[in-house]
Amino acid sequence: KDKASGSVMITNKGMGDLKILKLQTFSPAVKLSLNKTTLKSGETARIKIKVDQNKIISKKDSLDFLIVTNDPFAPKSLIQIK
C-alpha cells in the first residue's frame, strides 16, 4: 500500500482558548488537515494525516510534524509518525 492515513486528536485542557497557529511538516510525503483552529476549554480538534510513500525522498526523511500553538507552557509539540 502506497498511502497511509490516520488522525491525531487535540483537546484543550486549559481555561482559555487554544489557538493552533501552524502545522509544519518536514517531508513532502506528509499532508495534514485540521478541522478547527481555535479550541475553547474542553473542545477537541482532529488533525488528519496522510502519508504518500511514493513522495518519500530518502530513508532519512522525517515524517514527523510540528504543532505551533498559543499555549504558553507548550507552544510547540512535535508529533512522531511511525
Side-chain angles (χ1 to χ4, degrees):
K1 192 172 178 180
D2 291 340
K3 295 184 180 182
S5 62
S7 62
V8 173
M9 304 300 285
I10 298 174
T11 301
N12 180 3
K13 295 186 177 182
M15 299 303 290
D17 289 356
L18 177 67
K19 295 183 186 206
I20 300 170
L21 305 172
K22 184 178 183 180
L23 297 176
Q24 181 179 347
T25 63
F26 304 102
S27 168
V30 179
K31 298 291 180 209
L32 305 171
S33 63
L34 178 65
N35 70 334
K36 190 184 281 195
T37 57
T38 300
L39 304 176
K40 300 217 177 284
S41 183
E43 286 187 330
T44 299
R46 177 189 305 258
I47 300 172
K48 290 184 182 177
I49 307 160
K50 293 183 181 177
V51 178
D52 186 343
Q53 300 275 346
N54 295 321
K55 293 185 179 178
I56 295 175
I57 298 168
S58 74
K59 292 186 185 243
K60 293 182 180 180
D61 234 6
S62 173
L63 300 180
D64 302 343
F65 65 94
L66 187 67
I67 303 171
V68 181
T69 69
N70 68 331
D71 184 334
F73 300 106
K76 296 179 182 179
S77 299
L78 184 66
I79 307 299
Q80 295 180 330
I81 299 175
K82 295 188 179 194

